[in-house]
Amino acid sequence: MSSKDQKQGGGGFFASIASSLSNFGTAMHKSVNGALGIEGLEVINPEGGTEDAEEEAHKGRWKQEDRDSYWRMMQKYIGSDVTSMVTLPVLIFEPMTMLQKMAELMEYSHLLDKADQCEDPYMRLVYTSSWAISVYYAYQRTWKPFNPILGETYELANHGGVTFMSEQVSHHPPMSAGHAENEHFAYDVTSKLKTKFLGNSLDVYPVGRTRVTLKRDGVVIDLVPPPTKVNNLIFGRTWVDSPGEMIMTNLTTGDKVVLYFQPCGWFGAGRYEVDGYVYNAAEEPKILMTGKWNEYMSYQPCDLEGEPQSGTELKEVWRVAEVPPNDKFQYTHFAHKINSLDTAPRKLLASDSRLRPDRYALEKGDLSKAGAEKSSLEERQRAEKRSREAKDQKFIPRWFDMSGEVTPTPWGDLEVYQFNGKYMEHRAAVDSSDATDDDVDVRSIEFNPWQFGNVVSE
């Protein structure tokens, strides 16, 4: 008998009580929504529930017995930063690494092109902030990306003229660095996440630095994103919220945009909503912005009181692209592109995330192999660290250098890494070379983040 049949046909007295309570809750939901005139509005239950858990389990790999085991393991970590101290089961992962997830910001990179081409300094911030918000559609996925192995990389060289490179530059604490550019902009990020595990939820603080340089005028824009909260990690339907302020500052002119991500309230009120203003250096509002971080952003010129100027109208600046229907991992078309070996650049680095055997096995649905490969990679990483320490050697990144700059963030100080340009030289040499018989099938390349032997004696 299937679990669905058991639910419908058995369970005895307690099952009947549970069913009655469920029906009552559903009726109340419809009644309240109807009374408020908001029929069909999604209700978010902060405590989760049996029905939510079953629905989530049927959608993916997360079975109730797995949840119970995971909960027993994780209880001891309540209140801790679990960024890298916990070995997590592969069933909670998506087949993508953090390095690839960083690259998802490039999906709507045309907005940065428009910002560079724009004469209006305030519209520049409209375009750049809409670009920064666009990635949040992808961030609502509730599966966890794989932590990169030290020295692991990800490269994207075939997206609208944009070249992107990211590298895992530190293991403890876990830190990644990324760089992207085309003829209009250069994007640089040092990424370091700080987490706080709260039992059934996880707070994520972006202790990182993101800078965008618009090449035409050399304008530099700094981004401070809001924190993120992952709700109902173990019990209930998992969902993601990012309440708080996003601030983008034009470091060249002093203009800035402040956007407030509304927290999700009862009956789903405010979920996804983003509102704010573009201000000049004197902190006077110039343009109002509004939208939903999972759908669209719009803008309209405003007066000094923040009210829309007469004779103007609200105009859409960004809307999420069409996504694959009923996708197994809730990926966008772009996410599939950056994950695919078919779109990998020629002579792909052996350290690239696409080649990870655990990621690839999970993508193919083989959880057993994915778990074994993940454990093997983690053990090899520990062995490599022991070997380095025995030889008094220190790992040094290949494509990024430590700048020596320590910058404050709202959640702690950050050592900043800078792109050293060597990857551009490498890619230019590869692209200019003739295709020869020694070009191998990318699928035959063995994942090897330790290929460069990039260590120095301390």
Side-chain angles (χ1 to χ4, degrees):
M1 181 181 293
S2 69
S3 59
K4 183 176 181 180
D5 292 334
Q6 289 174 339
K7 181 179 177 181
Q8 292 177 343
F13 174 76
F14 291 104
S16 300
I17 292 294
S19 176
S20 298
L21 289 173
S22 173
N23 291 336
F24 175 73
T26 301
M28 284 296 293
H29 172 190
K30 292 180 179 178
S31 176
V32 170
N33 279 359
L36 295 177
I38 49 176
E39 190 68 43
L41 187 63
E42 180 183 17
V43 172
I44 299 299
N45 178 4
E47 303 301 326
T50 302
E51 296 77 19
D52 285 338
E54 288 193 43
E55 180 182 352
E56 187 75 7
H58 290 156
K59 286 182 179 178
R61 310 181 295 274
W62 199 226
K63 299 178 181 178
Q64 188 59 47
E65 57 267 29
D66 295 326
R67 289 174 181 265
D68 294 341
S69 174
Y70 183 56
W71 172 243
R72 288 192 294 270
M73 179 188 76
M74 293 298 293
Q75 277 181 309
K76 61 183 177 182
Y77 295 111
I78 292 176
S80 301
D81 184 345
V82 294
T83 306
S84 61
M85 61 185 291
V86 182
T87 299
L88 299 171
V90 73
L91 59 90
I92 72 167
F93 286 77
E94 65 175 347
M96 183 180 288
T97 72
M98 277 299 301
L99 298 178
Q100 293 172 284
K101 205 170 182 75
M102 288 166 63
E104 288 194 80
L105 253 174
M106 292 300 108
E107 179 166 6
Y108 299 95
S109 59
H110 69 277
L111 291 169
L112 295 182
D113 297 345
K114 288 185 176 182
D116 183 56
Q117 296 166 324
C118 182
E119 297 284 351
D120 187 324
Y122 310 123
M123 281 303 300
R124 281 178 171 173
L125 287 173
V126 169
Y127 287 123
T128 53
S129 60
S130 297
W131 162 78
I133 283 173
S134 68
V135 77
Y136 279 84
Y137 178 87
Y139 283 1
Q140 68 183 320
R141 298 196 304 262
T142 55
W143 304 113
K144 182 189 182 303
F146 284 92
N147 286 342
I149 300 295
L150 186 64
E152 184 175 330
T153 61
Y154 177 77
E155 52 181 322
L156 178 70
N158 53 359
H159 175 61
V162 175
T163 296
F164 174 90
M165 160 56 68
S166 56
E167 181 178 15
Q168 190 71 358
V169 296
S170 172
H171 181 56
H172 286 296
M175 294 178 64
S176 309
H179 175 84
E181 67 176 280
N182 66 3
E183 62 180 327
H184 291 292
F185 71 88
Y187 157 81
D188 291 280
V189 60
T190 299
S191 177
K192 176 184 176 183
L193 298 180
K194 180 179 180 181
T195 65
K196 187 174 184 180
F197 179 60
L198 300 173
N200 200 31
S201 64
L202 183 73
D203 289 344
V204 182
Y205 306 99
V207 190
R209 191 183 80 170
T210 300
R211 294 274 172 89
V212 174
T213 301
L214 302 179
K215 290 186 174 182
R216 190 185 68 170
D217 296 330
V219 168
V220 179
I221 298 173
D222 179 80
L223 167 66
V224 179
T228 293
K229 190 178 188 69
V230 185
N231 301 276
N232 296 343
L233 269 176
I234 303 170
F235 303 107
R237 179 174 50 78
T238 307
W239 57 283
V240 179
D241 203 16
S242 295
E245 286 184 340
M246 170 186 284
I247 303 174
M248 293 196 80
T249 305
N250 185 327
L251 300 179
T252 306
T253 65
D255 304 330
K256 65 180 178 181
V257 55
V258 181
L259 299 174
Y260 184 67
F261 286 54
Q262 299 286 345
C264 178
W266 288 105
F267 304 108
R271 192 179 187 196
Y272 308 120
E273 293 180 7
V274 182
D275 301 285
Y277 292 93
V278 176
Y279 299 91
N280 63 15
E283 298 190 353
E284 298 169 330
K286 306 299 290 185
I287 299 177
L288 66 85
M289 296 185 66
T290 185
K292 293 188 175 184
W293 52 258
N294 68 330
E295 289 185 37
Y296 69 94
M297 285 299 296
S298 299
Y299 70 96
Q300 187 171 3
C302 66
D303 59 26
L304 294 180
E305 301 299 321
E307 296 298 324
Q309 288 184 4
S310 60
T312 66
E313 59 182 13
L314 200 63
K315 294 183 179 180
E316 188 173 280
V317 65
W318 163 79
R319 179 170 290 275
V320 68
E322 183 180 353
V323 299
N326 303 315
D327 189 79
K328 181 178 181 181
F329 296 108
Q330 297 176 303
Y331 279 2
T332 64
H333 289 291
F334 183 73
H336 281 292
K337 176 181 178 179
I338 66 175
N339 223 19
S340 173
L341 291 169
D342 294 333
T343 60
R346 181 169 166 248
K347 291 188 177 179
L348 183 69
L349 293 170
S351 50
D352 194 270
S353 296
R354 299 174 184 85
L355 302 173
R356 283 184 60 142
D358 52 355
R359 187 212 66 78
Y360 189 71
L362 181 59
E363 185 177 35
K364 297 303 179 183
D366 191 339
L367 267 69
S368 178
K369 183 176 181 181
E373 295 285 7
K374 177 174 177 290
S375 296
S376 176
L377 281 177
E378 290 170 346
E379 180 49 44
R380 288 180 65 189
Q381 179 167 235
R382 287 188 286 268
E384 189 272 340
K385 180 183 178 183
R386 290 193 296 268
S387 176
R388 273 191 290 110
E389 290 177 343
K391 299 175 183 177
D392 290 326
Q393 293 177 330
K394 179 182 178 181
F395 170 84
I396 55 172
R398 182 173 176 84
W399 311 109
F400 295 83
D401 298 331
M402 188 176 288
S403 67
E405 179 183 358
V406 177
T407 186
T409 78
W411 302 282
D413 291 341
L414 176 77
E415 293 180 318
V416 177
Y417 284 79
Q418 62 186 12
F419 185 62
N420 59 27
K422 293 178 181 178
Y423 175 76
M424 295 305 189
E425 297 172 5
H426 159 79
R427 182 46 54 191
V430 169
D431 292 342
S432 63
S433 64
D434 293 332
T436 62
D437 292 338
D438 63 356
D439 279 354
V440 298
D441 181 357
V442 66
R443 289 170 176 77
S444 67
I445 301 174
E446 181 181 355
F447 177 67
N448 183 8
W450 305 281
Q451 63 180 308
F452 301 118
N454 42 340
V455 294
V456 294
S457 297
E458 294 188 288

